[in-house]
Amino acid sequence: MQLSSRDAAAALAEIDQARTAMRRAIRTHRGHYYLWIWGVTWIAMSLTAYFLGDSAARYFALICVPGVLASVAVGRFQRRQVAIPGSPRVLGVIGALLVFGALFPFVLHGPSDSRAYFAYSCLICMQAYVVIGLWTDTYLLWLGLVVAGLIMIGFFLPPGIFWLWMAVCAGGPLVLTGFYVRHFWH
Amino acid sequence: MPELDEIIHQPARLRIMAALTSLGPHEQVDFGFLKDKLALTDGNLGAHLRALEDAGYIAVEKTFVARRPKTFVAASKPGRKAFAVHVAALQSILGKK
C-alpha cells in the first residue's frame, strides 16, 4: 500500500481530530448537567437563607435531596452511553477530601454559624474541583479557584449580603460554566 | 519499517479506531454515542464495525441496560497494536520516526 506524504499527513490529522473529539466528549459527557444541578441547588439554598434568615439552613439537607437524586439519574443515564469503570485512585482522592473535610470541624470545634458552615462546605467542594481539575480538565481547576476566591470574599463581606452573594457568585458560576461546557465542548 | 494496514486505513474505520483507541483499556462506548460523535449513519457504522470485528481489532458486546438492548464497542488489544503500527507507518512516511 503506497501513500503520499500529503495523504499521510491528512490521515494523521484525522486521527488527532477523532481522538481529541472522543476524549473531550467523554470527559465532559453531560458534565454540564452536574454543574447545573449543583449550581441551582446552591442558589436555592442561598436564596432560602437570604429570604428566611440564617435559621433556614436547617432545610439545606432537604434542598440537597433533589440534587442528589438528579445526579444519580444523570449518572445512570451516562453509563448507558459510555461504560467507564470508576478509577479507584480518583474515587479514593474524592473520598479522602470528603472524609477529612468532615473531620476538620470536629478538631477545630466546627464552623461558628450557618454562614461559616455553608462557606466551609462550598470550599470543600471547590477543593475537589481543583484537585480533579489538576488531574483532568483545566476548566474545573479554574472554576474551583475562582469560586473559592469568591466564597472567601463573600465570607468577609457584611453578613446581610452573604447569602445573596453566595447565590450569585458561588451558584451562578456553576450554572454559567455548565452553559459554557455545553456550548463549547460538545 | 512499519506497514500500513489496509483495513484500518479506510477513512471511516481510521476515525473509528482513533476514537476507540483514545479510550482507556477497560472503557467501552455505546453504538449510538459513537455514531453521533463520528457523524456516521447506523448502516455505515455497523458495516465498518463488522469489518473491524472480523479483523479482531474491536470487541463488540451486546447487553441489556435497564431492559433495553445496548451495543458497547471497544478496541481490542490486537486492534490497539495494529493501530499503533499503522500510525507509526504514517509517521514514517512523513519522516517523523
Side-chain angles (χ1 to χ4, degrees):
Chain A
M1 190 178 174
Q2 293 295 315
L3 217 60
S4 69
S5 56
R6 194 175 166 180
D7 289 340
L12 285 170
E14 280 271 315
I15 290 168
D16 268 353
Q17 214 175 1
R19 299 191 95 149
T20 307
M22 181 54 91
R23 282 305 333 157
R24 186 166 281 187
I26 285 175
R27 279 182 190 167
T28 58
H29 182 48
R30 289 188 175 70
H32 57 281
Y33 284 152
Y34 295 108
L35 291 170
W36 285 342
I37 290 165
W38 290 101
V40 168
T41 304
W42 281 16
I43 290 171
M45 289 194 285
S46 303
L47 290 182
T48 302
Y50 178 72
F51 288 114
L52 301 180
D54 283 8
S55 59
R58 75 176 83 117
Y59 302 121
F60 281 3
L62 207 64
I63 295 171
C64 281
V65 170
V68 172
L69 292 177
S71 297
V72 170
V74 169
R76 288 184 66 147
F77 182 70
Q78 212 172 341
R79 276 198 299 278
R80 288 180 193 177
Q81 294 193 308
V82 184
I84 304 174
S87 159
R89 190 172 288 188
V90 173
L91 292 176
V93 168
I94 294 170
L97 288 175
L98 294 177
V99 169
F100 278 84
L103 286 177
F104 292 147
F106 289 108
V107 178
L108 301 169
H109 301 294
S112 49
D113 54 45
S114 53
R115 271 174 280 129
Y117 191 79
F118 187 65
Y120 173 76
S121 306
C122 293
L123 282 173
I124 291 291
C125 293
M126 289 306 104
Q127 186 188 15
Y129 275 43
V130 168
V131 171
I132 296 168
L134 285 168
W135 222 315
T136 56
D137 282 316
T138 47
Y139 87 87
L140 281 176
L141 169 68
W142 292 112
L143 179 65
L145 289 174
V146 168
V147 175
L150 289 169
I151 292 168
M152 290 309 295
I153 292 170
F155 189 66
F156 291 106
L157 287 176
I161 59 167
F162 172 78
W163 293 112
L164 200 57
W165 176 273
M166 289 299 280
V168 175
C169 297
L174 297 191
V175 174
L176 290 179
T177 307
F179 281 108
Y180 171 81
V181 167
R182 182 179 166 79
H183 187 74
F184 291 103
W185 289 60
H186 275 251
Chain B
M1 189 175 166
E3 292 278 319
L4 289 168
D5 188 316
E6 289 195 36
I7 296 169
I8 292 176
H9 191 68
Q10 196 281 338
R13 291 199 285 268
L14 186 74
R15 286 165 58 218
I16 292 168
M17 285 305 291
L20 293 180
T21 52
S22 68
L23 299 173
H26 303 295
E27 291 175 350
Q28 300 173 307
V29 280
D30 172 52
F31 182 94
F33 184 79
L34 191 62
K35 186 189 78 174
D36 288 348
K37 293 302 156 197
L38 298 178
L40 295 170
T41 62
D42 278 346
N44 204 356
L45 179 60
H48 289 304
L49 289 181
R50 260 192 305 279
L52 291 168
E53 192 183 12
D54 289 345
Y57 291 169
I58 63 164
V60 178
E61 187 188 338
K62 291 181 191 292
T63 183
F64 284 88
V65 177
R67 295 180 187 173
R68 287 185 183 170
K70 279 276 173 191
T71 302
F72 283 102
V73 188
S76 66
K77 258 188 185 176
R80 287 175 185 276
K81 199 173 168 186
F83 186 73
V85 171
H86 186 76
V87 171
L90 290 171
Q91 287 171 335
S92 72
I93 292 171
L94 295 178
K96 284 188 178 176
K97 269 192 174 178

PDB file of all heavy atoms in Angstrom, chain A residues 143-161:
ATOM      1  N   LEU A 143     -12.439  26.977  37.542  1.00  0.00           N
ATOM      2  CA  LEU A 143     -13.745  27.179  38.178  1.00  0.00           C
ATOM      3  C   LEU A 143     -13.600  27.058  39.691  1.00  0.00           C
ATOM      4  O   LEU A 143     -14.106  27.896  40.452  1.00  0.00           O
ATOM      5  CB  LEU A 143     -14.745  26.147  37.646  1.00  0.00           C
ATOM      6  CG  LEU A 143     -16.155  26.219  38.236  1.00  0.00           C
ATOM      7  CD1 LEU A 143     -16.843  27.519  37.866  1.00  0.00           C
ATOM      8  CD2 LEU A 143     -17.003  25.045  37.750  1.00  0.00           C
ATOM      9  N   GLY A 144     -12.889  26.032  40.135  1.00  0.00           N
ATOM     10  CA  GLY A 144     -12.682  25.809  41.568  1.00  0.00           C
ATOM     11  C   GLY A 144     -11.956  26.971  42.223  1.00  0.00           C
ATOM     12  O   GLY A 144     -12.355  27.451  43.289  1.00  0.00           O
ATOM     13  N   LEU A 145     -10.904  27.468  41.575  1.00  0.00           N
ATOM     14  CA  LEU A 145     -10.119  28.566  42.151  1.00  0.00           C
ATOM     15  C   LEU A 145     -10.937  29.856  42.207  1.00  0.00           C
ATOM     16  O   LEU A 145     -10.933  30.567  43.220  1.00  0.00           O
ATOM     17  CB  LEU A 145      -8.838  28.788  41.324  1.00  0.00           C
ATOM     18  CG  LEU A 145      -7.769  27.692  41.438  1.00  0.00           C
ATOM     19  CD1 LEU A 145      -6.626  27.955  40.467  1.00  0.00           C
ATOM     20  CD2 LEU A 145      -7.240  27.621  42.876  1.00  0.00           C
ATOM     21  N   VAL A 146     -11.630  30.152  41.107  1.00  0.00           N
ATOM     22  CA  VAL A 146     -12.396  31.412  41.042  1.00  0.00           C
ATOM     23  C   VAL A 146     -13.528  31.395  42.074  1.00  0.00           C
ATOM     24  O   VAL A 146     -13.696  32.349  42.835  1.00  0.00           O
ATOM     25  CB  VAL A 146     -12.948  31.638  39.606  1.00  0.00           C
ATOM     26  CG1 VAL A 146     -13.975  32.757  39.588  1.00  0.00           C
ATOM     27  CG2 VAL A 146     -11.807  31.958  38.650  1.00  0.00           C
ATOM     28  N   VAL A 147     -14.294  30.285  42.106  1.00  0.00           N
ATOM     29  CA  VAL A 147     -15.431  30.226  43.043  1.00  0.00           C
ATOM     30  C   VAL A 147     -14.931  30.231  44.489  1.00  0.00           C
ATOM     31  O   VAL A 147     -15.521  30.889  45.349  1.00  0.00           O
ATOM     32  CB  VAL A 147     -16.340  29.010  42.746  1.00  0.00           C
ATOM     33  CG1 VAL A 147     -17.443  28.884  43.790  1.00  0.00           C
ATOM     34  CG2 VAL A 147     -16.970  29.164  41.369  1.00  0.00           C
ATOM     35  N   ALA A 148     -13.826  29.533  44.761  1.00  0.00           N
ATOM     36  CA  ALA A 148     -13.270  29.545  46.124  1.00  0.00           C
ATOM     37  C   ALA A 148     -12.896  30.974  46.515  1.00  0.00           C
ATOM     38  O   ALA A 148     -13.162  31.409  47.645  1.00  0.00           O
ATOM     39  CB  ALA A 148     -12.051  28.622  46.203  1.00  0.00           C
ATOM     40  N   GLY A 149     -12.282  31.717  45.590  1.00  0.00           N
ATOM     41  CA  GLY A 149     -11.926  33.118  45.856  1.00  0.00           C
ATOM     42  C   GLY A 149     -13.169  33.951  46.140  1.00  0.00           C
ATOM     43  O   GLY A 149     -13.194  34.758  47.087  1.00  0.00           O
ATOM     44  N   LEU A 150     -14.215  33.742  45.338  1.00  0.00           N
ATOM     45  CA  LEU A 150     -15.460  34.499  45.530  1.00  0.00           C
ATOM     46  C   LEU A 150     -16.128  34.150  46.869  1.00  0.00           C
ATOM     47  O   LEU A 150     -16.687  35.018  47.535  1.00  0.00           O
ATOM     48  CB  LEU A 150     -16.430  34.210  44.369  1.00  0.00           C
ATOM     49  CG  LEU A 150     -16.021  34.805  43.015  1.00  0.00           C
ATOM     50  CD1 LEU A 150     -16.895  34.234  41.890  1.00  0.00           C
ATOM     51  CD2 LEU A 150     -16.106  36.325  43.035  1.00  0.00           C
ATOM     52  N   ILE A 151     -16.044  32.877  47.254  1.00  0.00           N
ATOM     53  CA  ILE A 151     -16.615  32.464  48.554  1.00  0.00           C
ATOM     54  C   ILE A 151     -15.885  33.187  49.688  1.00  0.00           C
ATOM     55  O   ILE A 151     -16.501  33.707  50.619  1.00  0.00           O
ATOM     56  CB  ILE A 151     -16.504  30.925  48.736  1.00  0.00           C
ATOM     57  CG1 ILE A 151     -17.425  30.204  47.754  1.00  0.00           C
ATOM     58  CG2 ILE A 151     -16.858  30.526  50.170  1.00  0.00           C
ATOM     59  CD1 ILE A 151     -17.171  28.697  47.646  1.00  0.00           C
ATOM     60  N   MET A 152     -14.560  33.254  49.581  1.00  0.00           N
ATOM     61  CA  MET A 152     -13.775  33.920  50.634  1.00  0.00           C
ATOM     62  C   MET A 152     -14.113  35.407  50.711  1.00  0.00           C
ATOM     63  O   MET A 152     -14.232  35.966  51.812  1.00  0.00           O
ATOM     64  CB  MET A 152     -12.268  33.734  50.374  1.00  0.00           C
ATOM     65  CG  MET A 152     -11.760  32.319  50.587  1.00  0.00           C
ATOM     66  SD  MET A 152     -12.234  31.606  52.168  1.00  0.00           S
ATOM     67  CE  MET A 152     -11.371  32.672  53.317  1.00  0.00           C
ATOM     68  N   ILE A 153     -14.266  36.037  49.546  1.00  0.00           N
ATOM     69  CA  ILE A 153     -14.643  37.465  49.544  1.00  0.00           C
ATOM     70  C   ILE A 153     -16.005  37.621  50.217  1.00  0.00           C
ATOM     71  O   ILE A 153     -16.190  38.474  51.087  1.00  0.00           O
ATOM     72  CB  ILE A 153     -14.675  38.011  48.095  1.00  0.00           C
ATOM     73  CG1 ILE A 153     -13.253  38.056  47.516  1.00  0.00           C
ATOM     74  CG2 ILE A 153     -15.310  39.404  48.046  1.00  0.00           C
ATOM     75  CD1 ILE A 153     -13.200  38.353  46.022  1.00  0.00           C
ATOM     76  N   GLY A 154     -16.956  36.768  49.819  1.00  0.00           N
ATOM     77  CA  GLY A 154     -18.311  36.847  50.374  1.00  0.00           C
ATOM     78  C   GLY A 154     -18.331  36.649  51.882  1.00  0.00           C
ATOM     79  O   GLY A 154     -19.104  37.284  52.588  1.00  0.00           O
ATOM     80  N   PHE A 155     -17.444  35.785  52.361  1.00  0.00           N
ATOM     81  CA  PHE A 155     -17.418  35.479  53.782  1.00  0.00           C
ATOM     82  C   PHE A 155     -17.028  36.698  54.620  1.00  0.00           C
ATOM     83  O   PHE A 155     -17.465  36.855  55.757  1.00  0.00           O
ATOM     84  CB  PHE A 155     -16.437  34.331  54.039  1.00  0.00           C
ATOM     85  CG  PHE A 155     -16.489  33.799  55.431  1.00  0.00           C
ATOM     86  CD1 PHE A 155     -17.630  33.154  55.896  1.00  0.00           C
ATOM     87  CD2 PHE A 155     -15.417  33.957  56.286  1.00  0.00           C
ATOM     88  CE1 PHE A 155     -17.698  32.677  57.193  1.00  0.00           C
ATOM     89  CE2 PHE A 155     -15.477  33.480  57.586  1.00  0.00           C
ATOM     90  CZ  PHE A 155     -16.619  32.842  58.040  1.00  0.00           C
ATOM     91  N   PHE A 156     -16.198  37.570  54.031  1.00  0.00           N
ATOM     92  CA  PHE A 156     -15.743  38.751  54.789  1.00  0.00           C
ATOM     93  C   PHE A 156     -16.556  40.005  54.475  1.00  0.00           C
ATOM     94  O   PHE A 156     -16.255  41.077  54.969  1.00  0.00           O
ATOM     95  CB  PHE A 156     -14.246  38.981  54.540  1.00  0.00           C
ATOM     96  CG  PHE A 156     -13.407  37.907  55.170  1.00  0.00           C
ATOM     97  CD1 PHE A 156     -12.800  36.928  54.405  1.00  0.00           C
ATOM     98  CD2 PHE A 156     -13.256  37.856  56.556  1.00  0.00           C
ATOM     99  CE1 PHE A 156     -12.047  35.915  54.995  1.00  0.00           C
ATOM    100  CE2 PHE A 156     -12.515  36.845  57.147  1.00  0.00           C
ATOM    101  CZ  PHE A 156     -11.905  35.876  56.368  1.00  0.00           C
ATOM    102  N   LEU A 157     -17.576  39.854  53.648  1.00  0.00           N
ATOM    103  CA  LEU A 157     -18.478  40.991  53.386  1.00  0.00           C
ATOM    104  C   LEU A 157     -19.478  41.107  54.540  1.00  0.00           C
ATOM    105  O   LEU A 157     -19.616  40.178  55.336  1.00  0.00           O
ATOM    106  CB  LEU A 157     -19.217  40.763  52.068  1.00  0.00           C
ATOM    107  CG  LEU A 157     -18.397  40.935  50.784  1.00  0.00           C
ATOM    108  CD1 LEU A 157     -19.253  40.578  49.565  1.00  0.00           C
ATOM    109  CD2 LEU A 157     -17.869  42.358  50.642  1.00  0.00           C
ATOM    110  N   PRO A 158     -20.200  42.219  54.638  1.00  0.00           N
ATOM    111  CA  PRO A 158     -21.209  42.337  55.705  1.00  0.00           C
ATOM    112  C   PRO A 158     -22.181  41.167  55.662  1.00  0.00           C
ATOM    113  O   PRO A 158     -22.605  40.737  54.576  1.00  0.00           O
ATOM    114  CB  PRO A 158     -21.917  43.657  55.364  1.00  0.00           C
ATOM    115  CG  PRO A 158     -20.927  44.424  54.574  1.00  0.00           C
ATOM    116  CD  PRO A 158     -20.107  43.423  53.827  1.00  0.00           C
ATOM    117  N   PRO A 159     -22.559  40.610  56.840  1.00  0.00           N
ATOM    118  CA  PRO A 159     -23.399  39.398  56.902  1.00  0.00           C
ATOM    119  C   PRO A 159     -24.706  39.536  56.119  1.00  0.00           C
ATOM    120  O   PRO A 159     -25.203  38.538  55.589  1.00  0.00           O
ATOM    121  CB  PRO A 159     -23.686  39.241  58.403  1.00  0.00           C
ATOM    122  CG  PRO A 159     -22.629  40.008  59.093  1.00  0.00           C
ATOM    123  CD  PRO A 159     -22.186  41.090  58.179  1.00  0.00           C
ATOM    124  N   GLY A 160     -25.266  40.725  56.028  1.00  0.00           N
ATOM    125  CA  GLY A 160     -26.548  40.917  55.363  1.00  0.00           C
ATOM    126  C   GLY A 160     -26.567  40.513  53.899  1.00  0.00           C
ATOM    127  O   GLY A 160     -27.615  40.130  53.362  1.00  0.00           O
ATOM    128  N   ILE A 161     -25.437  40.613  53.251  1.00  0.00           N
ATOM    129  CA  ILE A 161     -25.432  40.287  51.807  1.00  0.00           C
ATOM    130  C   ILE A 161     -24.758  38.940  51.501  1.00  0.00           C
ATOM    131  O   ILE A 161     -24.641  38.553  50.337  1.00  0.00           O
ATOM    132  CB  ILE A 161     -24.770  41.400  50.961  1.00  0.00           C
ATOM    133  CG1 ILE A 161     -23.328  41.631  51.401  1.00  0.00           C
ATOM    134  CG2 ILE A 161     -25.588  42.674  50.993  1.00  0.00           C
ATOM    135  CD1 ILE A 161     -22.561  42.470  50.392  1.00  0.00           C
TER     136      ILE A 161
END
